[in-house]
Every structure is written in structure tokens, then in C-alpha cells.
Amino acid sequence: GENVEQHPSTLSVQEGDSAVIKCTYSDSASNYFPWYKQELGKGPQLIIDIRSNVGEKKDQRIAVTLNKTAKHFSLHITETQPEDSAVYFCAAIERGADGLTFGKGTHLIIQP
Amino acid sequence: NAGVTQTPKFQVLKTGQSMTLQCAQDMNHEYMSWYRQDPGMGLRLIHYSVGAGITDQGEVPNGYNVSRSTTEDFPLRLLSAAPSQTSVYFCATRGQTYEQYFGPGTRLTVT
């Protein structure tokens, strides 16, 4: 089955700087890669996703890049703000699979 | 439009007790699933359903039962709770595309 590795487990950046979180996956048949943001005491919220036929996708201050050859994808957050502080999860799924396989999460801390 | 709702928000059980975690959605999604979240482990799939009357096991199904009699509801049953089932449980739905939407979670403690 699919295995997703996520790094780093904790990331501390100064407000206004950029943050990058990286994930690798094992199954070359995976074709959908979402990113979720989870605030304390809440459920994961989908913030951006990318499909295997696209190399990059942007939505305002966040972007995701996908390298299918290397089997890794990354979340980029620019101009970080205090409200970006949360735990971020990457995930992967293969067409027809049961459900998402998640990374173990990155705790992003925005220092004022 | 409430999206995905879960009840209760918190629950404490003694070992051996049973309970049902409720999940309801108003998005008319066929696919529903249950995940558990443990510290440092991400989320792991317990059971899922692709429509009313159809359920199947995920990665960690042992100790849990599910049924799906309607499109809207997908309850998760613990027949005999164990301390290893202490976790946060999330229900999720998915429509025709891949996007999954999660409920607010149920925090369960088994003593």
C-alpha cells in the first residue's frame, strides 16, 4: 500500500517569511495529493490539492508543487501570518483506493 | 448547510463498555469514512462506505463496526471499548471528486 513521509515534524518561521513542508510517497499509481490544515480542537480542513497531471497549483499565499518522477510534493506558504500557525498534513490517494494515506503532520509555528 | 456533523464531541468510557459515534452529512455524498488520529500518527482509515448498504474495512478496522442504512448517516460502533481505542475520531465524506471533507471530531477516552 501507499506510504507517505512528511518533513519536518515541527517548523518555526518568523512572521512574514516563507514556510515549506515536504512529503514523499511510495506508490507511483497515486494521482491525487491534498493538503489539510488542522487547528487545535478542530477537524482537518482542505486548503489545497493537486492532481498528478499538474506540476504546480497556487491559491493566494499557498502553493503546492508535485514532482512525479521523484515522488514528492511540497506545500509553500508565503508571507506567513499568525493565523497560519497550525498542524499541516499531506496525503495521497490512488484512483480506486479505499481512502487517503496521510503523513504524520507538521506543526507550523509562526513567530511574531 | 451544516456539512459533516459528529456527536458527541467528548466521551469517556470504561473498558468493556460499548458506544456509538454518530456522523451525519447533508452534502448528499455517497462516500463516507471514519479515521482515527493518534499523537504523531497522522490519520488512519478505520472503515468506509461507498453508498447505503455498502461498507468495507480500512487500515485499522479491528474493534469497530459500521453500517450504512441511509446516505446521510454513518455510525461507528465500539462493542467492547479498550484503552487502545483512546483517540480522536473523524468522519469524512467525499463527492464525485477526490476532495474529502472532515467533521469536527469526537475525542474518546477509555479508562
Side-chain angles (χ1 to χ4, degrees):
Chain A
E2 178 62 275
N3 182 49
V4 177
E5 299 282 342
Q6 183 171 348
H7 298 281
S9 56
T10 303
L11 177 61
S12 181
V13 302
Q14 290 293 125
E15 182 178 350
D17 288 350
S18 296
V20 180
I21 302 170
K22 299 181 179 181
C23 288
T24 60
Y25 61 98
S26 61
D27 191 341
S28 57
S30 288
N31 59 358
Y32 173 69
F33 308 92
W35 286 90
Y36 286 85
K37 175 183 181 182
Q38 186 177 28
E39 297 175 332
L40 196 62
K42 296 186 177 180
Q45 178 188 9
L46 179 66
I47 57 171
I48 196 166
D49 56 14
I50 192 167
R51 298 175 196 274
S52 58
N53 59 346
V54 176
E56 183 176 0
K57 183 177 179 181
K58 279 186 178 181
D59 183 2
Q60 299 182 356
R61 293 188 298 108
I62 61 173
V64 56
T65 58
L66 172 65
N67 183 327
K68 285 169 51 181
T69 303
K71 288 191 281 188
H72 67 70
F73 56 112
S74 299
L75 177 71
H76 304 254
I77 305 174
T78 60
E79 301 173 12
T80 53
Q81 300 170 3
E83 55 264 36
D84 294 329
S85 293
V87 179
Y88 291 80
F89 291 95
C90 63
I93 190 170
E94 173 191 349
R95 182 184 296 276
D98 303 343
L100 292 167
T101 299
F102 283 84
K104 294 184 178 181
T106 295
H107 185 194
L108 177 62
I109 301 165
I110 308 301
Q111 302 280 5
Chain B
N1 188 340
V4 182
T5 59
Q6 292 184 237
T7 55
K9 289 186 68 68
F10 302 95
Q11 183 71 49
V12 178
L13 290 178
K14 294 187 188 307
T15 298
Q17 288 184 319
S18 63
M19 80 159 295
T20 299
L21 281 63
Q22 302 291 345
C23 175
Q25 55 108 352
D26 61 3
M27 295 182 285
N28 202 32
H29 287 170
E30 292 294 332
Y31 180 94
M32 296 184 74
S33 55
W34 279 100
Y35 290 82
R36 61 177 288 172
Q37 183 176 33
D38 301 295
M41 294 291 293
L43 289 93
R44 293 179 292 168
L45 183 66
I46 304 171
H47 284 285
Y48 68 98
S49 169
V50 298
I54 306 169
T55 63
D56 209 341
Q57 298 180 350
E59 179 187 355
V60 288
N62 292 341
Y64 308 96
N65 281 350
V66 292
S67 60
R68 182 97 179 270
S69 57
T70 67
T71 299
E72 293 78 20
D73 301 296
F74 189 41
L76 179 71
R77 297 183 186 84
L78 286 71
L79 297 180
S80 179
S84 60
Q85 294 179 302
T86 293
S87 188
V88 183
Y89 292 86
F90 291 100
C91 178
T93 73
R94 189 179 84 203
Q96 296 296 322
T97 58
Y98 281 126
E99 291 86 359
Q100 290 206 32
Y101 300 94
F102 286 81
T106 294
R107 184 175 295 274
L108 175 68
T109 302
V110 183
T111 61

